[in-house]
Every structure is written in C-alpha cells, then in structure tokens.
Amino acid sequence: MDCPLALNTHRKNNPMIPSHASSILRVFLGTLAAVLLGTFATAHDATQPGEWFIALYPSDGGSVMWNTTNPVASGTLTDSGTITFSTTGSDIGMQIKPNPGFQLQAVYTVHYNFTPYLTPPNNSITFTPNPPTALVPTLYVVFERKTPTGSFAFTFPTSKPGVIPVVDMTGNYQGNTPTMNHRPYNVAVAMDDEGKVDSEGTIQGVATSGGSTQLAALVGSVKTKNGEPIGQGKGKFEGTLDGVAAQGSASGSGPVKFDVLNDSVGGRSVAGGSAPTVAVAGTGSYDAKVGIMAFKDKNMPVSVPVSQGGEGNIKKAWSLQLDISKKTNATTGKPYIAASSILTLPNGDKIAFAEKVVKFSVKDGYSLKFTKGTNTTRDPDVLDKKTTVQLSKMHLEEQSGVWKPIDGAIDYSFLGQKGKASVADFVP
Amino acid sequence: MSAKMIIPVAEKRAAKSRRKPLLVAVAVGAGLLLSGGALVAFSLWVENRGEGGEAGWLTSRARSAVTQPIAEAVATQVRRYVRAKMRSAWLLGGYSEQELLDRLASPTITRNERRLVAYRLASAATPRAIEALLQMLKNAPPEDRAFFAQLVGSAGGPAVKASLWPLLDDPDEKVILAAIRGLSAIGGPEVSARLAGMLADPQRSAAQRAEAALGLGDIGTAAAHQTLVQALATTRQTEISTEIVNSLGKFPFARVAGTFEHLLAAPETSGELRVVAVEALVNSTREAVPFLLGVAGRDADPEVRASSAWAISAHESGAPIGPALSELASREPEPDVRRRLYEALVRQTDAPAERLVPRVLAEKDVAARVAGFNAVGSAVGRQPASAAAASFDDQMVPELQRIAANENSLNIRMRAVFALRRAQTPSAQAALAAIAASTSESAPQVATAARNGLPARP
C-alpha cells in the first residue's frame, strides 16, 4: 500500500487501523467527494511530510478541533485546512463537531474509512502517522444535512394583530335589544363546517304567527373579506309583538368580533340596569311594520349589546399538530419521509390528515398540503372535503437537538374562511 | 336625564333665526286649515239641504269634490302624525328627543351609551337629531368617526351628502368604507357616479373598490346595475369581482336574471365565482327562487347545487316550493347538497313532513340527518297534530337527544337542539329538559340552548 496512512496498518493492535478497511460505498462516496473537491485532492496530496490536509465537506457542515503532541499544539478548523506536526513523530488527536442541522457522515481517506473508530460523544479519534515522514493523503470529513423530523405544534396567535383569523361563532348570545324597549333576547347560533349559520332564539314579547316564541332568527354565513371574518345574515318575520301584528325583514353584515364599548367614563346606561361590556357591531337594513307603524332603514351601523361572557362564543384559537418522520418502505426497503397532521378547529372539531410521503430539500425546506382529512369529532367520522392547510417552503432549525420551524408560509382554509400567514407566527 | 345639554352660542343664534320661517309656516298652515274648514262647512251645509233632484246632484258633487278629499287629507295627515309620533316614541326608547340630545352632548356619556343614544336619534331622524349627529361627526373621537359617518348617511338623507363627500378621501380607511355605506343609503345619481368612479379607480384599495361595488347594489338603480355589469366584464381581481357579483345579487331578480344565467353558464366562470353567484341571490327578491331551484336540481357541480339550496333557505315561502325541495332531496346523490335542501325546507310552510320522514331516516351522514330532523321538526311545530309529529316523537326525538348529549361536533349538537326547539312537542320538550340537565357541565353551550328552548317559567 502506498497510502501514507496505510503505514499504520502494519502496527498491531492500533485501534486507529481499520482491520476490515472501508466499505465499497464509503470508498465510492469518498472518491466522489474527492472528485467534487478535486482542488483539495490534487492540491493537497502534495503536502509535505509533517503536513496533513483535512477537507471538510460541506465547508459549513462542522469543525475539527485538533491537537498534536509534537509540537504540543492545538487548534480548530472551521473550514478545510492543514495541520502541521513534527516529522520526528507525533500523535494527532481530533474531535469532530457538526454544526447545527448537520450530522457527521464519514471520516476517511481514499483508502480507509475511519468512521467506525470515532469515539462518541465527541467523535474523537487519534492518528499516528508511521513513519512520521510519510506523505499523508487528504482526510475527508464529510457531514450531511439532517432531515428535520419530529412533532411540531402550530398554534394560531390569537393575540397577534394582523394575522387573519378563522372564527367559530357557535354559542348562545343574550342581552337586551338596543331598540324595541330593550327587550331581553337570547339567540343560539350554530355555525357549520362551511361557515353557514343557523340560529334559533327568543325575544321577549315576540311570537310567530303560529303563536310560537321560538324564532328561527337568521340564515347567514361567515366569510373572509379584506382579511377579516365577516358575518352576514338575513331573516324574515311574521307574527306579533306584544300581541300587535308585526312583520318585516332584516339583513345585516359585519365583522365577527366584539366591540368593547364601555371604555369611556361612567354614566348611567340608557338601557337601565348594568351596562353591557361588549357588542356585536355591523351594518343593518330592515323593513318592518308593527301595527300601523312602519320602520325602514338602510345601511344603519348597528351595535347589538351582548351580555358579559358572550364574547367567549367567538372562538378563533386553532392548532395544527404536524408529525414528520423517516420511515422505510416495507416492500422496497427504501427510506422515505412521512408526514401526517391533526388540525383542531376553533369549534373543537379535529380533522385528521392521513400519512403522506413528502420531500425535503435544503433549499426549499418542506412544502406540505393537507386536504381531504377525516373529521373525527363527528360521530360517525366523516370525510372533510373543505378543510385545507398548506405549509410552503417551511424551513426548520435545530435548537438543542430539537427542530423548530423558523420560516415559510401557512395557508389555511376551513369553516368557510381562509387566511395566510408566516409559519413563524404560529410557532411559540 | 339630569345632564344639561351644552349648546354653543352660535347654535342658539341659529335656532332664533330658524323660528321666523316657523312662524310663517304656522300662519300659512292655520290659514289653510281655516279655509279648508270653511269649505267643509259649506259643503256639509249643501249636503244637508237637498235630497234628490237637482239638490241631490249638488249634494253628491259637493261630497266628492270637497268634503271627502278634505276629510281624507286631514285624516291622512292626522294618521301620519300619530304614526310618526308613535314610531318616534318607540324608537326613542321611552325618552324624549330632548333628553337624548342632552345625553348625547353630555361629557359623562360612555362610548356604548353614546352609540345607543345616537342610534335612537338616527332612527327617529328628526331635523334636530340629524343636526346633532352631524355635530357629533365633526367632533367624534377617531374610534367613533366611522360609526357616525355611516349613521349620519343612513339617517340623514340627501341633506348630509355634503358632509360625507370629504370622508371618501379620509386617511382612515374605515371612515371611507363607512362613508360609502352611508352615501349608498342616500343614493341618487351623484352618489352612483362617485361610487362608479371609485370602483373603477385602480389607485383605490381593493377594500374600497369592493365597498363601492356593494354600495351600487344598495342604490339599486338601472345606472348602478349597468356600471356593475360593465365592471364585472373588465375586472380581473377576484376580490372585487366577488363583491360585484354580491352586489348584483341585491337587485330585484327580474333585472339581473340574465346576468346570473350568463355567469353560471359561461365556461370561463370559475367554480368559486359560480358558488358566489348563487349565494349572492340570498339578497335578491323571491323571484330568484325558481332559478335557484333549477340550479340546485341540475348543476353538475355539487358545491353550486348545495349553495343554491342554501340560498333558497333565506327566502321564506311565497310560492309553494316545499314539495319541489323535497323531491330534489329524494334524488340528490350528495349528502352535503341534501343537507342544504333540508335546511331550505325549515323555513317553508309547505314542507311535506310525512314524505320527508323516511328520506331523512335513511340518511347516513349525521349533518344531513340532523338537517333533515330540523326540516321535519319545523313542519311538526307548525302542524303538531300531523302524522309526522308521531314519527318525529318516536323515531327522531330519542336520536336528537342522544346526539345533543354525547360527543359530537358542537355545531351538530346545537342543531340537534334546534330541531327539538322547532318541533315543540311534549316529547321534544322533555328531551330538551334532559339535555339541559345532562350537559350543563360537559357542554354548557348545548345546555343553555336546550334550556332556552323550554317554556319560560311563570
């Protein structure tokens, strides 16, 4: 063998020396790397005795801490470089440290693979060139980027302004009407998976023409407009108000959120009793007749007070639990990356998206689209064709051994609404 | 109301100057009233003098030419005055206009109360109220400017347009949008032209252009319609074309039928816009229902069919469409579409409950099934003695109770409660009571909805 390090193979019981040499694959990779790094191979095979060129690939993959016994010296290579030692003989110790996001793949020369002899946890190894004057071939230290895997929780930032919310407004709303002599009302609202709203309520003194006090109040929907959820509804009524014949129709629209109104100085409430803290505000039009009185207004700014606690009905917290893992195809034996997720909607429904094969690239990170999940909260489970979550160009960073999404975009569409935001906004 | 109204000196002077024309008007009115009274008295005298012959002819002429018109005119005015007074009193919520004006001007008023008071005054829409609201608009804090801009426009009529024009270029976009809504309520060619300009102006934000489009729909004139149709043909921004279609949906269907038929039939119309189009007809007139029924029954896209059925649900019975909806449900293959058809049946007084029962009981999808229960429950609520009532009690109430009380989507559980509330049979009431008791801790929202469906305790 004419490899300078091969000289070590004549030494018995030297743990540095690979008794079984390198695997063909490693040699192939090493050769490939050598070709790719041809400059290193050609330029540095010509190093002088007492010099050893260490090639780091890729150059930002990690560092090599080295020390020599003759002379006593040490240093750190953060890029490819040369170590100098005495031609009279010296041990050369190394500790190889991958940078975050990388792991050590192999350490070898064109002839030998030293990878199995690295001692954890610091990937340490000691060489003793023999004879000391031998020309030592380039030592390749090859790192590979880790494929980010793990479980990742994405949570809608409810308190961060500017991130488009998707809301659920299912719940019970009660208070006193702003007009009609402040009649107590209560309305139960149900919003479905497409943002369509149905409601059932009562208003004191109001009954249908059949005498029922149960009023199928409004038919409506919630959609995203100009970056916020806008609710719109329409209703018709024919019946009595305090026994007087009444009929009319009304329509309204407005942001699905509560206005905090009593943020000013005190004063007695016109409505009497305790002042409400919040109100649903929007635009309303109505055309009604009560007895002989006719009422008609168009595009009125409407503010309907809701009793304390009612604001809890409008829910916008949702989360996505994403799992990415490396798996092996049982049939072909080929490795692949699998991703699955569970989306918890603002209404509490859970949508499970089955595992799918995904790709990771260093440049573009992960791009994942989850659609056609299963609503597992419904009994029985049902296919959800309308809910979609898409993560685009999601990059992750390893922090203390744990991967964390740092970049990318998230598009979400469910409950009849949609939004787009930065992934970073969703990661605590 | 103990707080005194703060009236600036300039306003007092203005009030004095307004009294002069008022006195003139009172004098003219009194003169007219006296003249009218004299005419009626003369007419009555003529009528009392003659029966038959020439005198009879004179009597009849005097009655039709003088007594009746004047008496009717006076009665109409009296009736209008009484109605206005009653309406005003009702809208003012038991307070006098002066009390509310005082309160509006009070420095101690809360934001919530200020809005309530302003809303009452705007509803009454007397000249004094509008003037006070205009004053509020001038001095409103930033967070309330949009509210008052819209309120003044909605209530003030053409006289307030001059105050709103400058707001269309306000630095605060919320104020611009509110001013558009206010001006749309006023309407007229001038507003239409201005909104058409905003819709076409690429320098305006998408939100402003979309609001201008919606405003034109509120105005609802032929010119506004034409503007919207032209804009739809040239607009490439989805956000704006969506609102143009929504705006067209506000017109009487007879005027926009051709536009919607073309839109749905055109191959270049995206699936998303076709859904928007049929849903926009929620706000159209009842004449849209036959068109929507046709779409719900024939369109190849199940999402369009479902949306069409949903749009029908916003139109109450006028024509007998219950059987047609039921027929569509019986041959519709998609459960999501059937769900919407059942929802449309909830508000139809002619829903064929007996025919629906077996169809609904065959549903596998829980959302469609509960929607069907709501359709049957509503029909039972209207006709408690029908055969469907017994089926509802026997076969649906136990299942609705189970759905509402056990783990399921909150929306489904609430709608199960709705079905029971709508039916109002004794079994349904008992189920509601049981749900209210069993879910009070695990699902308080369901429990509250169930409790509110029970008859109020005396």
Side-chain angles (χ1 to χ4, degrees):
Chain A
M1 293 190 177
D2 56 0
C3 171
L5 276 186
L7 296 171
N8 289 331
T9 60
H10 299 299
R11 294 179 57 175
K12 288 182 180 175
N13 303 321
N14 187 335
M16 279 177 52
I17 303 170
S19 58
H20 50 276
S22 58
S23 72
I24 293 171
L25 177 65
R26 298 287 183 195
V27 170
F28 173 75
L29 286 172
T31 308
L32 183 64
V35 170
L36 291 171
L37 299 170
T39 50
F40 300 132
T42 52
H44 297 286
D45 274 351
T47 50
Q48 300 300 308
E51 287 183 357
W52 195 5
F53 188 74
I54 314 295
L56 304 188
Y57 179 78
S59 58
D60 60 346
S63 59
V64 175
M65 293 170 64
W66 60 268
N67 63 77
T68 54
T69 54
N70 185 17
V72 177
S74 63
T76 302
L77 294 173
T78 56
D79 201 346
S80 301
T82 301
I83 297 171
T84 307
F85 52 91
S86 171
T87 53
T88 60
S90 173
D91 285 346
I92 306 159
M94 291 184 190
Q95 285 185 13
I96 303 168
K97 186 182 176 190
N99 282 337
F102 288 86
Q103 61 190 5
L104 182 60
Q105 186 188 34
V107 177
Y108 54 88
T109 66
V110 290
H111 295 295
Y112 295 105
N113 176 19
F114 297 101
T115 313
Y117 300 98
L118 296 168
T119 306
N122 298 321
N123 300 315
S124 51
I125 191 168
T126 302
F127 299 95
T128 307
N130 189 11
T133 54
L135 287 173
V136 182
T138 298
L139 182 74
Y140 295 103
V141 178
V142 179
F143 301 97
E144 67 176 351
R145 283 189 191 272
K146 287 182 184 173
T147 301
T149 56
S151 292
F152 311 101
F154 300 87
T155 308
F156 178 79
T158 51
S159 55
K160 185 161 189 166
V163 185
I164 301 170
V166 169
V167 299
D168 175 64
M169 58 182 296
T170 302
N172 296 280
Y173 300 79
Q174 52 198 13
N176 292 324
T177 60
T179 57
M180 298 167 69
N181 295 323
H182 328 295
R183 292 162 192 273
Y185 73 85
N186 72 69
V187 181
V189 172
M191 194 177 108
D192 69 20
D193 52 328
E194 294 176 16
K196 300 290 191 287
V197 173
D198 193 7
S199 62
E200 187 74 13
T202 62
I203 303 175
Q204 192 180 69
V206 180
T208 65
S209 49
S212 172
T213 56
Q214 295 295 317
L215 313 170
L218 284 171
V219 173
S221 65
V222 179
K223 290 179 180 172
T224 305
K225 289 186 180 180
N226 299 323
E228 67 177 332
I230 301 291
Q232 51 191 0
K234 187 183 176 187
K236 282 189 177 179
F237 172 75
E238 194 165 346
T240 58
L241 174 63
D242 294 336
V244 177
Q247 61 179 20
S249 62
S251 62
S253 67
V256 185
K257 64 179 184 184
F258 285 106
D259 268 1
V260 179
L261 294 177
N262 62 342
D263 54 350
S264 188
V265 290
R268 86 170 174 85
S269 167
V270 170
S274 60
T277 56
V278 293
V280 177
T283 297
S285 301
Y286 58 87
D287 187 350
K289 195 175 177 187
V290 181
I292 60 167
M293 293 183 289
F295 304 90
K296 189 173 184 176
D297 265 315
K298 192 191 265 189
N299 283 1
M300 274 291 227
V302 181
S303 196
V304 181
V306 176
S307 296
Q308 273 186 329
E311 63 269 30
N313 287 321
I314 295 180
K315 300 166 285 289
K316 56 182 181 178
W318 61 272
S319 63
L320 179 76
Q321 181 64 44
L322 171 66
D323 287 299
I324 301 177
S325 58
K326 280 184 178 173
K327 295 194 172 181
T328 305
N329 185 303
T331 312
T332 64
K334 287 183 178 175
Y336 66 93
I337 308 169
S340 62
S341 66
I342 295 175
L343 175 69
T344 304
L345 300 179
N347 63 5
D349 281 15
K350 288 187 186 302
I351 315 296
F353 295 99
E355 181 182 295
K356 58 193 285 187
V357 178
V358 298
K359 288 184 178 175
F360 172 75
S361 88
V362 172
K363 183 185 171 196
D364 292 333
Y366 283 111
S367 287
L368 317 167
K369 185 174 184 180
F370 293 104
T371 185
K372 292 186 180 172
T374 302
N375 186 324
T376 58
T377 307
R378 287 253 202 107
D379 181 20
D381 292 358
V382 67
L383 178 68
D384 185 331
K385 299 177 198 165
K386 302 289 171 66
T387 296
T388 304
V389 178
Q390 185 169 1
L391 296 156
S392 306
K393 297 190 175 181
M394 180 178 72
H395 290 94
L396 301 97
E397 185 179 83
E398 194 177 29
Q399 296 174 357
S400 306
V402 178
W403 289 96
K404 186 181 173 187
I406 53 163
D407 196 7
I410 180 166
D411 286 78
Y412 40 96
S413 172
F414 45 83
L415 300 182
Q417 301 153 70
K418 58 187 174 184
K420 183 171 187 171
S422 165
V423 161
D425 289 333
F426 281 66
V427 182
Chain B
M1 299 266 172
S2 58
K4 286 185 179 177
M5 189 177 178
I6 301 165
I7 304 174
V9 175
E11 274 192 43
K12 285 184 179 174
R13 283 178 189 155
K16 272 186 183 177
S17 68
R18 278 197 301 272
R19 281 179 201 147
K20 281 182 186 172
L22 188 68
L23 286 171
V24 173
V26 167
V28 170
L32 283 172
L33 202 63
L34 283 172
S35 309
L39 266 171
V40 171
F42 176 72
S43 168
L44 287 172
W45 177 77
V46 170
E47 285 177 36
N48 287 334
R49 277 184 61 86
E51 295 288 335
E54 265 190 46
W57 174 84
L58 193 60
T59 300
S60 146
R61 278 300 180 105
R63 188 180 293 138
S64 63
V66 183
T67 317
Q68 269 184 0
I70 290 181
E72 276 173 19
V74 171
T76 302
Q77 289 306 318
V78 169
R79 202 162 46 229
R80 195 174 287 171
Y81 177 79
V82 170
R83 278 183 187 174
K85 277 286 174 192
M86 285 171 67
R87 180 181 179 277
S88 180
W90 203 72
L91 289 170
L92 294 175
Y95 294 91
S96 72
E97 185 181 53
Q98 188 57 51
E99 276 182 315
L100 292 178
L101 288 169
D102 289 349
R103 193 68 198 135
L104 188 67
S106 166
T108 62
I109 194 168
T110 65
R111 189 176 170 217
N112 178 28
E113 192 181 342
R114 189 194 299 128
R115 285 192 173 195
L116 276 170
V117 169
Y119 180 71
R120 288 166 196 288
L121 288 168
S123 299
T126 64
R128 286 177 72 201
I130 299 302
E131 196 175 310
L133 293 175
L134 278 170
Q135 200 60 36
M136 281 304 300
L137 174 59
K138 277 184 196 165
N139 304 319
E143 67 271 19
D144 279 340
R145 287 181 70 231
F147 175 84
F148 279 101
Q150 188 173 338
L151 191 69
V152 162
S154 304
V160 303
K161 274 194 289 190
S163 303
L164 295 179
W165 292 131
L167 302 183
L168 292 178
D169 295 309
D170 199 87
D172 183 349
E173 184 163 72
K174 282 182 185 168
V175 174
I176 296 175
L177 301 182
I180 293 172
R181 290 184 204 117
L183 286 163
S184 306
I186 297 167
E190 206 179 354
V191 176
S192 291
R194 196 69 186 267
L195 295 188
M198 289 180 82
L199 173 59
D201 185 355
Q203 301 303 314
R204 294 272 183 179
S205 71
Q208 290 175 36
R209 295 175 69 191
E211 197 65 49
L214 289 171
L216 287 165
D218 286 327
I219 292 169
T221 58
H225 175 237
Q226 193 60 29
T227 301
L228 288 167
V229 170
Q230 284 170 356
L232 183 61
T234 54
T235 302
R236 293 288 169 266
Q237 271 179 274
T238 310
E239 193 177 353
I240 296 169
S241 53
T242 295
E243 294 310 330
I244 291 173
V245 171
N246 278 326
S247 185
L248 286 165
K250 294 180 179 184
F251 283 77
F253 186 68
R255 182 176 282 170
V256 292
T259 305
F260 278 84
E261 280 165 10
H262 172 75
L263 196 60
L264 284 174
E268 65 271 19
T269 308
S270 68
E272 199 175 341
L273 195 60
R274 295 179 82 240
V275 168
V276 169
V278 289
E279 292 195 357
L281 292 174
V282 157
N283 293 311
S284 190
T285 48
R286 200 182 287 164
E287 291 72 42
V289 171
F291 173 77
L292 290 169
L293 271 173
V295 175
R298 287 192 297 272
D299 200 275
D301 184 345
E303 287 194 32
V304 174
R305 293 203 303 275
S307 291
S308 195
W310 177 78
I312 294 170
S313 66
H315 293 279
E316 307 244 347
S317 276
I321 60 167
L325 286 168
S326 175
E327 169 62 23
L328 285 181
S330 69
R331 60 184 168 91
E332 171 57 51
E334 290 289 330
D336 278 349
V337 184
R338 291 200 299 275
R339 166 172 63 157
R340 300 300 179 210
L341 289 165
Y342 294 139
E343 286 171 2
L345 278 161
V346 167
R347 285 163 177 79
Q348 310 305 325
T349 53
D350 60 346
E354 282 84 1
R355 248 192 290 165
L356 277 172
V357 168
R359 170 70 253 177
V360 170
L361 287 171
E363 289 290 351
K364 298 283 185 283
D365 178 87
V366 69
R369 199 170 168 88
V370 170
F373 290 170
N374 269 277
V376 176
S378 286
V380 167
R382 283 189 284 268
Q383 294 175 315
S386 65
S391 302
F392 184 82
D393 281 351
D394 294 344
Q395 297 174 275
M396 298 182 185
V397 169
E399 185 174 342
L400 285 166
Q401 183 177 336
R402 183 181 59 73
I403 291 170
N406 290 296
E407 285 296 314
N408 213 318
S409 173
L410 179 61
N411 162 59
I412 299 287
R413 296 174 74 177
M414 292 288 270
R415 286 175 192 251
V417 170
F418 290 0
L420 294 166
R421 286 176 66 161
R422 284 164 179 163
Q424 297 181 74
T425 62
S427 295
Q429 299 278 312
L432 286 171
I435 293 164
S438 68
T439 60
S440 59
E441 288 186 6
S442 61
Q445 288 168 316
V446 177
T448 302
R451 199 179 309 114
N452 288 339
L454 294 168
R457 289 179 186 168

